[in-house]
Amino acid sequence: MAHPNPRYVFGPPRPARPPARDTVATAAFAVGLIGSVTGLIRPLCLLAAGLGLLALGLGTVALRRARRPGTADDGLAGFGAVLGAVTLLLALVGAVLGASGPS
């Protein structure tokens, strides 16, 4: 007996896979977000500077990796790098205010 629809002999077609997530881009965003919140706390400006450098580095690596076909996190990687730069600025402002504040 023939199949009622010869086009679907092996079943209906499967949907296309979504583009792969890049964990480096996600890490850049998460570290940048945590660093920017930490940069608002004056005693933790040194920690914020380290997190900012880490987020900026991870964001740069993720942006380079996002150029490959099949990845879709270039926006998240760019935002992670921008958050890293903002974190560095917040840490610098916190360090300047901390050094010039009352002792």
Side-chain angles (χ1 to χ4, degrees), residues 8-60:
Y8 295 133
V9 173
F10 299 107
R14 295 185 181 185
R17 284 187 169 180
R21 287 270 186 211
D22 189 7
T23 55
V24 178
T26 306
F29 174 72
V31 171
L33 188 63
I34 292 169
S36 62
V37 170
T38 307
L40 297 174
I41 304 168
R42 192 181 303 171
L44 299 177
C45 65
L46 188 60
L47 175 66
L51 290 174
L53 284 173
L54 183 63
L56 192 59
L58 286 173
T60 304

Side-chain angles (χ1 to χ4, degrees), residues 54-95:
L54 183 63
L56 192 59
L58 286 173
T60 304
V61 168
L63 279 172
R64 288 184 182 177
R65 289 175 63 172
R67 292 181 187 162
R68 294 184 304 186
T71 56
D73 285 338
D74 57 341
L76 197 60
F79 197 59
V82 168
L83 277 175
V86 167
T87 300
L88 283 173
L89 287 175
L90 286 173
L92 180 66
V93 168

Side-chain angles (χ1 to χ4, degrees), residues 42 96-103:
R42 192 181 303 171
V96 168
L97 290 178
S100 65
S103 47

